[in-house]
Amino acid sequence: MGTAAPDALLAALRAQHARRRRLLDHGARHVGWKIGGRIAEIDAVTGGNPAIGYLTSATVFEDGAALDTVNGRRLRAETELVIQVADPRRPCGVVGVAIELVDVARPPCEMEEIVAANVFHRAAVLGRARCGALPPGACARLWVDGELRELAPATTDVPATIAHVGGLLAALGERLRAGDLILAGSLTHVPVPEGGAITAEIDGVGQVQATVNAPAIRV
């Protein structure tokens, strides 16, 4: 993170932000941003640096939500650290836990299309708990229907994540604001069955739950 963004990525982000602006113009509320990393099509352009996406009230839900309209061809649930920006002038914030639902089906197959379409994002469910820092040695977990499906170390670099998002936004003429939320990238990545009950947890941070009631689209 932290190097200058390639022109191709910035062009794709401008197209993405035009879609975000249309949502805001039609009544959605700004919530924050998301990291979109470890995606081959993006890594090939950026050398491994992640892109960003946006969060609005159109796709952000509270803990315990029943998601009746979220579907996809290859729907995945991710445990993510959520960062709440405390002071946009400094890389600091408080943290919580979130579930992000993404649809990783191709197409879209090109970096520009993936970024413009908000980097696979379909929904986010935010836990209520917040703590001052990610505890050393913390692990992230994700359960589906009560079965532990994936466990991984929670190694998110909070200051670097805030700085990376802020840098890309500055290149687009945008900025981080106090209170903005950032989904800091996937820690787990698990297929979602039809009607699946999902629980995500990060040690020392919190837990969040959601149910995906909409059937996955099969093509």
Side-chain angles (χ1 to χ4, degrees):
M1 293 188 189
T3 59
D7 289 344
L9 176 61
L10 292 177
L13 287 170
R14 291 187 186 99
Q16 178 197 105
H17 281 228
R19 296 187 183 194
R20 170 181 173 268
R21 173 48 55 191
R22 288 194 291 272
L23 282 173
L24 297 177
D25 288 345
H26 284 85
R29 300 186 310 280
H30 169 74
V31 174
W33 312 98
K34 60 158 278 181
I35 289 286
R38 290 180 291 181
I39 298 167
E41 294 90 342
I42 295 173
D43 290 347
V45 173
T46 67
N49 282 321
I52 59 171
Y54 59 83
L55 303 175
T56 76
S57 58
T59 59
V60 172
F61 302 89
E62 295 184 352
D63 189 6
L67 305 178
D68 299 318
T69 60
V70 177
N71 51 40
R73 291 170 290 152
R74 292 184 62 195
L75 201 62
R76 300 292 186 264
E78 299 178 339
T79 306
E80 301 206 16
L81 190 76
V82 58
I83 302 167
Q84 186 168 15
V85 177
D87 184 344
R89 297 167 298 181
R90 296 186 294 131
C92 61
V94 297
V95 298
V97 61
I99 296 166
E100 185 178 20
L101 297 180
V102 294
D103 181 10
V104 297
R106 270 72 165 181
C109 300
E110 302 296 331
M111 182 279 294
E112 293 84 355
E113 296 171 325
I114 291 169
V115 172
N118 207 19
V119 201
F120 302 136
H121 175 77
R122 291 295 178 270
V125 181
L126 307 182
R128 298 182 180 91
R130 296 285 188 273
C131 65
L134 179 63
C139 283
R141 299 173 182 82
L142 193 135
W143 290 265
V144 177
D145 295 329
E147 177 185 348
L148 180 62
R149 294 291 181 86
E150 193 167 349
L151 179 149
T155 56
T156 305
D157 186 328
V158 172
T161 300
I162 295 172
H164 181 69
V165 174
L168 284 178
L169 290 176
L172 296 168
E174 255 290 358
R175 61 185 177 86
L176 279 174
R177 297 170 173 82
D180 277 2
L181 301 181
I182 300 171
L183 293 186
S186 62
L187 299 169
T188 69
H189 184 80
V190 173
V192 178
E194 298 179 12
I198 303 165
T199 301
E201 178 183 63
I202 300 175
D203 292 334
V205 177
Q207 188 179 88
V208 61
Q209 297 178 326
T211 304
V212 181
N213 292 326
I217 299 170
R218 308 297 182 189
V219 295

